[in-house]
Amino acid sequence: MIEVGHFIGGKRVAGTSGRTADIMQPMDGSVRGKVALASREELRKAVENAKEAQIGWAATNPQRRVRVLMKFLDLVQNEYDELAEMLAREHGKTIPDAKGDIQRGLEVIEVCIGAPHLLKGEYTDGAGPGIDVYSLRQPLGVVAGITPFNFPAMIPLWKIGPAIAAGNSFILKPSERDPSVPMRIAELFIEAGLPAGVLNVVNGDKDVVDGILDDPDIKAVGFVGSTPIAQYIYSRATANGKRAQCFGGAKNHMIIMPDADMDQTVDALIGAGYGSAGERCMAISVAVPVGEETANRLVEKLIPRVEALKIGSSLDASADFGPVVTADALSRIKTYVDGGVKEGAKLVVDGRDFKMQGYENGYYMAGCLFDHVTPDMKIYKEEIFGPVLSVVRAKTYEDAIRLPNEHEYGNGVSIFTRDGDAARDFAARVQVGMVGVNVPIPVPIAYYTFGGWKASGFGDLNQHGPDAFRFYTKTKTVTSRWPSGIKDGAEFVIPTMN
Ligand code: NAD
């Protein structure tokens, strides 16, 4: 049994609140250990450490700051396998997929190595007589991140990297379901030379989240998780005068045009729909074939592929996907599937009764495929977050593009076609933040920004890429006049360029 406390002032500390939660191992349903749930006093301790450490860290020149990030990248390489196994055990995803989770986080750290350049301001020489104007990007101070269970390495790293590279100190509140990897990440940063207190981890639930939202010393909050919580965090954080960026749930469509290469499309759908048991915010959960003939060809090819998916334990590297995260999640997903059947969708592959031999207490189900789903159904409107793909048949391209455009969520979307005109029109008109053309999971590479539209994202700036540096810094503009001592007399009219 493991015991996970908090990471405050550069070291692991035991929880003192007396409240804990079980850390489960989804592959066999066993209790792996306990995680402490922080009290407001423990949060305060972390904030005080962070506040003090931030002064020296902000004064450290940016090139020295990023050397810590470089060293961190090296240290992770030495224990990639151990981290991936730890992640797989607590999340449920397979080890190769867990390695991808870590890698996509490291790619953002790699981009943060460019912080000295990314933090440069602007300069205008001679904006007026003897007048120069320049701008600075300064850190905010203490900032916080609240992250979801489904990417316990990637999403914390997306936030920690730019925040600390910009000279802030950071309080991470990871998901209480899989806290071990974020704790180890914090430890590795200290081993890499990060001063104690610059990165702290407080584990916990709503109580500590509310503490973060109300703490006057925390200047910004980055959140990733489900939409109702994203909305709640955005309103409470901004009402308290904080900067906030909050990313929520998703319902990602893939439009399949009649000219699409059907084998390529099916390969893409299988990976994007069922990889990680569908527990990705960029998973494709709705396939929209255009025209009856396209739909028939698609469904005919999809059925045997969904039936052949290999479900395995998190430690089975040959499995296509493993268990879902909790017993509650399993029952919620099955309830959605039951509801879809009741609403009249055609369940052409039913994975509800799958049992994993030797792991009967694990949280497994096989892939489900629905055909003839319509936009009024709950399985279409809501995020299921499981291995369930819905086919919504569209008569025309215009009917197809209307679906993602009118959907509440707007995280990712994709079109499969050989027609450049259609692809270009789609990319221009679709009301979704991240678009793939013959790419099923269009998670932008680390030097572009990541963020959904509509109910998938609240706040003005995206994650990673240049936006992350804007989010974690404030701009100061300096107008200076030299030499001093020029005497123009008092001026009562606002200065202009005339
Ligand atoms: P969640 O909203 O349940 O939890 C996210 C975080 O919020 C956790 O740290 C949790 O402890 C905290 N939290 C939960 N309930 C809270 C409450 N009532 N008050 C305050 N804090 C609370 O999300 P999850 O189940 O961990 O993650 C899955 C969700 O995250 C899915 O909806 C998925 O689409 C979304 N997600 C979105 C993105 C994105 O970039 N848009 C990325 C990954 C996951």
Side-chain angles (χ1 to χ4, degrees), residues 435-463:
V435 182
V437 175
N438 297 323
V439 169
I441 304 189
V443 177
I445 46 174
Y447 41 97
Y448 281 78
T449 71
F450 179 108
W453 288 9
K454 300 186 278 187
S456 297
F458 305 89
D460 303 322
L461 293 168
N462 280 349
Q463 306 188 87

mmCIF file of all heavy atoms in Angstrom, residues 435-463:
data_model
loop_
_atom_site.group_PDB
_atom_site.id
_atom_site.type_symbol
_atom_site.label_atom_id
_atom_site.label_comp_id
_atom_site.label_asym_id
_atom_site.label_seq_id
_atom_site.Cartn_x
_atom_site.Cartn_y
_atom_site.Cartn_z
ATOM 1 N N VAL A 435 -8.838 21.412 -35.465
ATOM 2 C CA VAL A 435 -9.394 20.766 -36.651
ATOM 3 C C VAL A 435 -8.343 19.845 -37.282
ATOM 4 O O VAL A 435 -7.191 20.241 -37.441
ATOM 5 C CB VAL A 435 -9.814 21.845 -37.686
ATOM 6 C CG1 VAL A 435 -10.456 21.196 -38.911
ATOM 7 C CG2 VAL A 435 -10.756 22.861 -37.043
ATOM 8 N N GLY A 436 -8.765 18.640 -37.654
ATOM 9 C CA GLY A 436 -7.884 17.711 -38.355
ATOM 10 C C GLY A 436 -8.382 17.488 -39.777
ATOM 11 O O GLY A 436 -9.583 17.348 -39.994
ATOM 12 N N VAL A 437 -7.465 17.464 -40.721
ATOM 13 C CA VAL A 437 -7.812 17.093 -42.094
ATOM 14 C C VAL A 437 -7.065 15.793 -42.365
ATOM 15 O O VAL A 437 -5.827 15.777 -42.373
ATOM 16 C CB VAL A 437 -7.398 18.199 -43.092
ATOM 17 C CG1 VAL A 437 -7.651 17.740 -44.523
ATOM 18 C CG2 VAL A 437 -8.152 19.485 -42.797
ATOM 19 N N ASN A 438 -7.788 14.712 -42.475
ATOM 20 C CA ASN A 438 -7.229 13.365 -42.575
ATOM 21 C C ASN A 438 -6.330 13.047 -41.377
ATOM 22 O O ASN A 438 -5.402 12.239 -41.480
ATOM 23 C CB ASN A 438 -6.471 13.168 -43.897
ATOM 24 C CG ASN A 438 -7.404 13.306 -45.093
ATOM 25 O OD1 ASN A 438 -8.565 12.882 -45.038
ATOM 26 N ND2 ASN A 438 -6.932 13.905 -46.163
ATOM 27 N N VAL A 439 -6.589 13.708 -40.273
ATOM 28 C CA VAL A 439 -5.883 13.481 -38.999
ATOM 29 C C VAL A 439 -6.989 13.317 -37.956
ATOM 30 O O VAL A 439 -7.808 14.214 -37.788
ATOM 31 C CB VAL A 439 -4.993 14.705 -38.637
ATOM 32 C CG1 VAL A 439 -4.471 14.598 -37.222
ATOM 33 C CG2 VAL A 439 -3.837 14.833 -39.623
ATOM 34 N N PRO A 440 -7.023 12.183 -37.256
ATOM 35 C CA PRO A 440 -8.187 11.940 -36.400
ATOM 36 C C PRO A 440 -8.158 12.638 -35.044
ATOM 37 O O PRO A 440 -9.189 12.997 -34.514
ATOM 38 C CB PRO A 440 -8.156 10.423 -36.205
ATOM 39 C CG PRO A 440 -6.722 10.039 -36.392
ATOM 40 C CD PRO A 440 -6.121 11.024 -37.334
ATOM 41 N N ILE A 441 -6.956 12.788 -34.455
ATOM 42 C CA ILE A 441 -6.884 13.455 -33.136
ATOM 43 C C ILE A 441 -5.990 14.671 -33.326
ATOM 44 O O ILE A 441 -4.776 14.591 -33.152
ATOM 45 C CB ILE A 441 -6.305 12.528 -32.043
ATOM 46 C CG1 ILE A 441 -7.117 11.238 -31.948
ATOM 47 C CG2 ILE A 441 -6.260 13.233 -30.690
ATOM 48 C CD1 ILE A 441 -6.761 10.356 -30.773
ATOM 49 N N PRO A 442 -6.585 15.811 -33.695
ATOM 50 C CA PRO A 442 -5.724 16.951 -34.055
ATOM 51 C C PRO A 442 -5.211 17.732 -32.851
ATOM 52 O O PRO A 442 -5.436 18.940 -32.744
ATOM 53 C CB PRO A 442 -6.647 17.791 -34.938
ATOM 54 C CG PRO A 442 -8.025 17.487 -34.443
ATOM 55 C CD PRO A 442 -8.004 16.086 -33.891
ATOM 56 N N VAL A 443 -4.530 17.031 -31.924
ATOM 57 C CA VAL A 443 -3.894 17.741 -30.796
ATOM 58 C C VAL A 443 -2.705 18.500 -31.382
ATOM 59 O O VAL A 443 -1.787 17.892 -31.909
ATOM 60 C CB VAL A 443 -3.391 16.754 -29.716
ATOM 61 C CG1 VAL A 443 -2.674 17.510 -28.588
ATOM 62 C CG2 VAL A 443 -4.545 15.941 -29.156
ATOM 63 N N PRO A 444 -2.723 19.823 -31.328
ATOM 64 C CA PRO A 444 -1.645 20.578 -31.969
ATOM 65 C C PRO A 444 -0.287 20.269 -31.333
ATOM 66 O O PRO A 444 -0.209 19.990 -30.134
ATOM 67 C CB PRO A 444 -2.038 22.038 -31.719
ATOM 68 C CG PRO A 444 -3.500 22.001 -31.407
ATOM 69 C CD PRO A 444 -3.733 20.693 -30.717
ATOM 70 N N ILE A 445 0.761 20.313 -32.148
ATOM 71 C CA ILE A 445 2.103 20.118 -31.604
ATOM 72 C C ILE A 445 2.425 21.241 -30.622
ATOM 73 O O ILE A 445 1.804 22.297 -30.644
ATOM 74 C CB ILE A 445 3.176 20.050 -32.729
ATOM 75 C CG1 ILE A 445 2.941 21.171 -33.737
ATOM 76 C CG2 ILE A 445 3.185 18.704 -33.388
ATOM 77 C CD1 ILE A 445 4.019 21.253 -34.769
ATOM 78 N N ALA A 446 3.467 20.972 -29.806
ATOM 79 C CA ALA A 446 3.687 21.794 -28.602
ATOM 80 C C ALA A 446 3.899 23.279 -28.872
ATOM 81 O O ALA A 446 3.669 24.093 -27.992
ATOM 82 C CB ALA A 446 4.886 21.234 -27.834
ATOM 83 N N TYR A 447 4.365 23.665 -30.062
ATOM 84 C CA TYR A 447 4.612 25.100 -30.267
ATOM 85 C C TYR A 447 3.427 25.807 -30.915
ATOM 86 O O TYR A 447 3.523 26.982 -31.283
ATOM 87 C CB TYR A 447 5.930 25.354 -31.011
ATOM 88 C CG TYR A 447 6.238 24.427 -32.156
ATOM 89 C CD1 TYR A 447 5.939 24.788 -33.465
ATOM 90 C CD2 TYR A 447 6.831 23.196 -31.925
ATOM 91 C CE1 TYR A 447 6.233 23.933 -34.510
ATOM 92 C CE2 TYR A 447 7.119 22.331 -32.978
ATOM 93 C CZ TYR A 447 6.827 22.710 -34.260
ATOM 94 O OH TYR A 447 7.101 21.866 -35.302
ATOM 95 N N TYR A 448 2.288 25.097 -31.076
ATOM 96 C CA TYR A 448 1.013 25.749 -31.378
ATOM 97 C C TYR A 448 0.182 25.686 -30.106
ATOM 98 O O TYR A 448 0.571 25.040 -29.136
ATOM 99 C CB TYR A 448 0.308 25.032 -32.536
ATOM 100 C CG TYR A 448 0.893 25.426 -33.862
ATOM 101 C CD1 TYR A 448 2.095 24.887 -34.292
ATOM 102 C CD2 TYR A 448 0.275 26.390 -34.660
ATOM 103 C CE1 TYR A 448 2.666 25.275 -35.482
ATOM 104 C CE2 TYR A 448 0.837 26.781 -35.857
ATOM 105 C CZ TYR A 448 2.035 26.226 -36.270
ATOM 106 O OH TYR A 448 2.593 26.623 -37.440
ATOM 107 N N THR A 449 -0.987 26.324 -30.107
ATOM 108 C CA THR A 449 -1.736 26.303 -28.863
ATOM 109 C C THR A 449 -2.864 25.279 -28.910
ATOM 110 O O THR A 449 -3.340 24.910 -29.986
ATOM 111 C CB THR A 449 -2.328 27.687 -28.522
ATOM 112 O OG1 THR A 449 -3.377 27.957 -29.436
ATOM 113 C CG2 THR A 449 -1.293 28.766 -28.585
ATOM 114 N N PHE A 450 -3.276 24.843 -27.722
ATOM 115 C CA PHE A 450 -4.311 23.824 -27.561
ATOM 116 C C PHE A 450 -5.491 24.444 -26.822
ATOM 117 O O PHE A 450 -5.333 24.966 -25.721
ATOM 118 C CB PHE A 450 -3.747 22.656 -26.733
ATOM 119 C CG PHE A 450 -4.720 21.544 -26.470
ATOM 120 C CD1 PHE A 450 -4.583 20.313 -27.109
ATOM 121 C CD2 PHE A 450 -5.782 21.701 -25.577
ATOM 122 C CE1 PHE A 450 -5.483 19.283 -26.862
ATOM 123 C CE2 PHE A 450 -6.687 20.684 -25.339
ATOM 124 C CZ PHE A 450 -6.535 19.469 -25.985
ATOM 125 N N GLY A 451 -6.673 24.360 -27.418
ATOM 126 C CA GLY A 451 -7.851 24.853 -26.695
ATOM 127 C C GLY A 451 -9.117 24.677 -27.506
ATOM 128 O O GLY A 451 -9.111 24.814 -28.737
ATOM 129 N N GLY A 452 -10.196 24.330 -26.809
ATOM 130 C CA GLY A 452 -11.479 24.140 -27.478
ATOM 131 C C GLY A 452 -12.326 25.396 -27.436
ATOM 132 O O GLY A 452 -12.009 26.352 -26.714
ATOM 133 N N TRP A 453 -13.402 25.392 -28.200
ATOM 134 C CA TRP A 453 -14.357 26.506 -28.233
ATOM 135 C C TRP A 453 -15.631 26.107 -27.489
ATOM 136 O O TRP A 453 -15.813 24.988 -27.091
ATOM 137 C CB TRP A 453 -14.718 26.844 -29.684
ATOM 138 C CG TRP A 453 -13.629 27.513 -30.467
ATOM 139 C CD1 TRP A 453 -12.328 27.698 -30.110
ATOM 140 C CD2 TRP A 453 -13.768 28.080 -31.796
ATOM 141 N NE1 TRP A 453 -11.644 28.343 -31.112
ATOM 142 C CE2 TRP A 453 -12.505 28.583 -32.155
ATOM 143 C CE3 TRP A 453 -14.829 28.194 -32.700
ATOM 144 C CZ2 TRP A 453 -12.288 29.201 -33.397
ATOM 145 C CZ3 TRP A 453 -14.601 28.808 -33.928
ATOM 146 C CH2 TRP A 453 -13.347 29.310 -34.268
ATOM 147 N N LYS A 454 -16.529 27.035 -27.402
ATOM 148 C CA LYS A 454 -17.864 26.842 -26.801
ATOM 149 C C LYS A 454 -17.731 26.231 -25.400
ATOM 150 O O LYS A 454 -16.876 26.687 -24.625
ATOM 151 C CB LYS A 454 -18.742 26.022 -27.759
ATOM 152 C CG LYS A 454 -18.922 26.725 -29.127
ATOM 153 C CD LYS A 454 -19.903 26.019 -30.038
ATOM 154 C CE LYS A 454 -19.275 24.868 -30.776
ATOM 155 N NZ LYS A 454 -20.140 24.250 -31.786
ATOM 156 N N ALA A 455 -18.509 25.183 -25.090
ATOM 157 C CA ALA A 455 -18.477 24.656 -23.718
ATOM 158 C C ALA A 455 -17.216 23.842 -23.429
ATOM 159 O O ALA A 455 -17.089 23.240 -22.362
ATOM 160 C CB ALA A 455 -19.720 23.820 -23.452
ATOM 161 N N SER A 456 -16.270 23.809 -24.381
ATOM 162 C CA SER A 456 -15.018 23.076 -24.141
ATOM 163 C C SER A 456 -13.909 23.970 -23.605
ATOM 164 O O SER A 456 -12.819 23.461 -23.290
ATOM 165 C CB SER A 456 -14.544 22.403 -25.435
ATOM 166 O OG SER A 456 -15.482 21.448 -25.862
ATOM 167 N N GLY A 457 -14.142 25.270 -23.526
ATOM 168 C CA GLY A 457 -13.065 26.130 -23.034
ATOM 169 C C GLY A 457 -13.575 27.479 -22.563
ATOM 170 O O GLY A 457 -14.361 28.112 -23.267
ATOM 171 N N PHE A 458 -13.124 27.905 -21.392
ATOM 172 C CA PHE A 458 -13.535 29.196 -20.836
ATOM 173 C C PHE A 458 -12.272 30.002 -20.548
ATOM 174 O O PHE A 458 -11.360 29.512 -19.886
ATOM 175 C CB PHE A 458 -14.336 28.996 -19.540
ATOM 176 C CG PHE A 458 -15.526 28.082 -19.751
ATOM 177 C CD1 PHE A 458 -15.386 26.702 -19.596
ATOM 178 C CD2 PHE A 458 -16.751 28.586 -20.148
ATOM 179 C CE1 PHE A 458 -16.463 25.851 -19.814
ATOM 180 C CE2 PHE A 458 -17.830 27.744 -20.372
ATOM 181 C CZ PHE A 458 -17.688 26.373 -20.215
ATOM 182 N N GLY A 459 -12.238 31.216 -21.059
ATOM 183 C CA GLY A 459 -11.042 32.048 -20.909
ATOM 184 C C GLY A 459 -10.509 32.385 -22.288
ATOM 185 O O GLY A 459 -10.922 31.786 -23.276
ATOM 186 N N ASP A 460 -9.588 33.359 -22.334
ATOM 187 C CA ASP A 460 -9.183 33.886 -23.642
ATOM 188 C C ASP A 460 -7.946 33.239 -24.215
ATOM 189 O O ASP A 460 -7.719 33.303 -25.413
ATOM 190 C CB ASP A 460 -8.916 35.391 -23.509
ATOM 191 C CG ASP A 460 -10.148 36.095 -22.960
ATOM 192 O OD1 ASP A 460 -11.248 35.698 -23.346
ATOM 193 O OD2 ASP A 460 -9.988 37.003 -22.135
ATOM 194 N N LEU A 461 -7.118 32.657 -23.377
ATOM 195 C CA LEU A 461 -5.836 32.163 -23.882
ATOM 196 C C LEU A 461 -5.769 30.648 -23.770
ATOM 197 O O LEU A 461 -6.233 30.059 -22.795
ATOM 198 C CB LEU A 461 -4.690 32.794 -23.090
ATOM 199 C CG LEU A 461 -4.519 34.308 -23.299
ATOM 200 C CD1 LEU A 461 -3.560 34.886 -22.271
ATOM 201 C CD2 LEU A 461 -4.013 34.600 -24.707
ATOM 202 N N ASN A 462 -5.174 30.036 -24.785
ATOM 203 C CA ASN A 462 -5.072 28.571 -24.840
ATOM 204 C C ASN A 462 -3.905 28.044 -24.002
ATOM 205 O O ASN A 462 -3.108 28.798 -23.471
ATOM 206 C CB ASN A 462 -4.878 28.132 -26.287
ATOM 207 C CG ASN A 462 -6.199 28.113 -27.040
ATOM 208 O OD1 ASN A 462 -7.257 28.235 -26.449
ATOM 209 N ND2 ASN A 462 -6.113 27.946 -28.339
ATOM 210 N N GLN A 463 -3.817 26.704 -23.994
ATOM 211 C CA GLN A 463 -2.693 26.056 -23.315
ATOM 212 C C GLN A 463 -1.538 25.904 -24.308
ATOM 213 O O GLN A 463 -1.749 25.801 -25.502
ATOM 214 C CB GLN A 463 -3.079 24.654 -22.859
ATOM 215 C CG GLN A 463 -4.328 24.604 -22.019
ATOM 216 C CD GLN A 463 -4.540 23.231 -21.436
ATOM 217 O OE1 GLN A 463 -4.028 22.919 -20.377
ATOM 218 N NE2 GLN A 463 -5.316 22.426 -22.127
#
